[in-house]
């Protein structure tokens, strides 16, 4: 057997096997990296949701404590019982200013025993409407404080607490505090260095009220931008185009799950989580924008490193094999 035939019959199959092993090693490394990235996304989402839950519980507890003090203020209860708006406003305005500064409260209401609004301390010109939100209905049914996230007429999600007020053993009305969820999301964004926004379903909103609310916040309303949802919160220019693409493809229903997002950094993920209100209705989506650029760069370096090490090891092994085959060939030559 000639030297060329020995190397072709032994060396070539070994080289093919080494190439297959190298490819399998690189593929295994990539699969592992993808699993690590998925785990990283899940862990970061869980951190956001946990922090959101903690903040909500703290805010509900704080508002509950403040409402208890209001419900024990006999001067306020007498004014509520008489439907004396002027006295209520005089007594409640200093309380509202304090709560707005210390507890981020943006809504302060007094309703009569039939849930008809007597006074909005935060908006005194608006009153007289019947409050049919779930938290108010539930507080009237149970006689206990009720808390939850609810969608307001301006399309803002608000953390609310409603407490019945009794005087001389009879319910004279209800007091309610709330603050907008957007402020809490801002805190989470700064704490965890993620980008967050909220998608609200259009079929739960009135366009005129929503557009009025956007203008009150100094933002230009863009009702027609998406088919089934509107965006609450700021969306950076770096991810706007990707969000447009995902929502355009979602059709008449807001998306759920994880989607790629190029963004400003080049590698990221959108995570769409269902957003439920106090009545457990699906009112939209909480959107997390996760920047995975550092993770992806590390993953690419890992895969390239594995491939290079494997290639170097394979080349060294193949070279050693050819050297060994050369020695065998020399030993097998017939003596002169």
């Amino acid at each position: 057997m000639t030297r060329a035939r020995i190397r072709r019959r032994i060396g070539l199959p070994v080289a093919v096997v080494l190439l297959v092993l190298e490819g399998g090693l690189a593929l295994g490394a990539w699969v592992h990296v993808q699993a690590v990235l998925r785990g990283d996304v899940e862990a970061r989402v869980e951190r956001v949701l946990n922090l959101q839950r903690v903040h909500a519980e703290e805010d509900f507890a704080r508002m509950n404590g403040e409402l208890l003090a209001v419900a024990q203020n006999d001067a306020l209860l007498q004014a509520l019982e008489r439907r004396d708006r002027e006295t209520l406003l005089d007594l409640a305005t200093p309380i509202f200013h304090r709560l707005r500064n210390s507890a981020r409260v943006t809504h302060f209401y007094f309703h009569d025993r039939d849930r008809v609004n007597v006074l909005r301390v935060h908006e005194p010109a608006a009153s007289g409407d019947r409050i049919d939100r779930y938290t108010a209905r539930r507080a009237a049914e149970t006689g206990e404080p009720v808390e939850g996230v609810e969608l307001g007429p301006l399309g803002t999600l608000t953390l609310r607490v409603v407490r019945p007020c009794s005087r001389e053993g009879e319910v004279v009305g209800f007091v309610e505090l709330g603050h907008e969820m957007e402020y809490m999301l801002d805190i989470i964004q700064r704490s965890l260095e993620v980008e967050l926004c909220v998608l609200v379903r259009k079929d739960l909103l009135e366009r005129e009220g929503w557009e009025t609310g956007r203008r009150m916040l100094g933002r230009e309303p863009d009702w027609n931008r998406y088919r089934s949802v509107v965006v609450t919160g700021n969306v950076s220019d770096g991810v706007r185009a990707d969000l447009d693409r995902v929502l355009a493809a979602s059709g008449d229903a807001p998306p759920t799950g994880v989607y790629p997002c190029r963004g400003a950094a080049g590698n990221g993920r959108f995570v769409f989580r269902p957003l439920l209100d106090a009545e457990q209705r699906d009112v939209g989506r909480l959107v997390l924008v996760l920047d995975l650029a550092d993770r992806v760069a590390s993953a690419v370096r890992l895969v390239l490193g594995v491939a290079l090490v494997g290639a170097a090891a394979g080349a060294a092994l193949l070279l050693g094999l050819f050297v060994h085959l050369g020695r065998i060939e020399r030993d097998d030559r017939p003596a002169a």
Side-chain angles (χ1 to χ4, degrees):
M1 184 182 296
T2 66
R3 176 180 302 185
R5 288 188 62 189
I6 290 176
R7 292 189 175 181
R8 191 164 51 247
R9 294 186 62 181
I10 298 177
L12 190 58
V14 171
V16 171
V17 170
L18 289 175
L19 285 174
V20 171
L21 289 175
E22 167 71 9
L25 187 62
L27 179 61
W30 184 249
V31 169
H32 173 72
V33 163
Q34 292 301 309
V36 170
L37 288 176
R38 285 194 299 272
D40 184 57
V41 169
E42 292 170 2
R44 293 173 71 178
V45 170
E46 193 61 28
R47 284 198 296 272
V48 169
L49 297 179
N50 284 338
L51 190 55
Q52 178 191 355
R53 187 160 45 247
V54 167
H55 275 291
E57 289 172 356
E58 290 176 350
D59 290 341
F60 284 136
R62 187 180 300 113
M63 288 190 290
N64 254 314
E66 296 291 350
L67 283 181
L68 179 60
V70 171
Q72 293 173 343
N73 186 320
D74 195 57
L76 283 170
L77 296 188
Q78 288 185 51
L80 176 58
E81 190 173 22
R82 296 192 310 267
R83 298 180 60 86
D84 183 347
R85 298 183 72 253
E86 290 186 6
T87 301
L88 269 180
L89 185 59
D90 287 342
L91 294 173
T93 297
I95 299 173
F96 176 57
H97 289 163
R98 176 177 61 80
L99 294 179
R100 185 172 56 188
N101 293 328
S102 65
R104 305 183 298 276
V105 166
T106 54
H107 300 69
F108 189 9
Y109 307 79
F110 289 87
H111 315 308
D112 69 13
R113 68 188 68 189
D114 296 319
R115 303 198 316 277
V116 175
N117 178 254
V118 176
L119 175 67
R120 287 174 169 84
V121 184
H122 58 284
E123 193 180 358
S127 64
D129 53 318
R130 183 180 175 85
I131 306 302
D132 246 353
R133 290 188 295 267
Y134 172 80
T135 51
R137 297 198 317 269
R138 190 65 180 158
E141 291 168 3
T142 63
E144 299 290 336
V146 177
E147 62 191 38
V149 176
E150 289 183 310
L151 193 60
L154 301 183
T156 56
L157 286 163
T158 305
L159 282 73
R160 300 182 187 273
V161 181
V162 182
R163 174 179 282 272
C165 296
S166 298
R167 187 167 182 270
E168 297 179 355
E170 290 189 10
V171 174
V172 297
F174 303 87
V175 288
E176 177 179 344
L177 290 177
H179 80 74
E180 293 178 5
M181 186 176 178
E182 198 167 333
Y183 184 86
M184 181 176 69
L185 297 182
D186 287 342
I187 295 174
I188 295 172
Q189 287 187 116
R190 292 194 298 269
S191 299
L192 298 182
E193 297 183 348
V194 298
E195 192 171 343
L196 299 172
C197 68
V198 170
L199 308 180
V200 180
R201 287 170 44 191
K202 281 185 177 180
D203 59 325
L204 301 176
L205 301 173
E206 293 182 3
R207 177 173 181 173
E208 184 178 350
W210 181 80
E211 289 182 340
T212 299
R214 296 297 287 176
R215 292 190 182 99
M216 287 173 57
L217 294 172
R219 296 170 185 167
E220 189 63 28
D222 52 356
W223 178 269
N224 293 321
R225 189 179 189 102
Y226 306 120
R227 188 183 308 177
S228 62
V229 296
V230 292
V231 176
T232 298
N234 292 319
V235 178
S236 67
D237 294 337
V239 300
R240 172 67 80 173
D242 290 317
L243 186 62
D244 289 349
R245 172 180 49 79
V246 173
L247 292 181
S250 69
D252 294 326
T256 301
V258 181
Y259 294 80
C261 165
R262 292 183 299 275
N267 287 290
R269 299 290 187 276
F270 284 125
V271 182
F272 294 85
R273 295 291 301 235
L275 196 57
L276 306 180
D277 68 1
E279 203 172 357
Q280 297 303 297
R281 293 184 308 162
D282 182 354
V283 296
R285 298 290 181 269
L286 175 65
V287 184
L288 291 73
V289 187
L290 304 180
D291 178 10
L292 300 181
D294 291 342
R295 277 289 197 176
V296 171
S298 297
V300 170
R301 287 196 297 270
L302 174 63
V303 173
L304 288 176
V306 168
L308 288 174
V309 169
L317 182 61
L318 198 58
L319 179 61
L321 177 63
F322 270 75
V323 170
H324 184 62
L325 289 176
R327 290 174 180 167
I328 292 175
E329 290 166 356
R330 288 194 297 274
D331 292 344
D332 285 345
R333 287 178 186 171

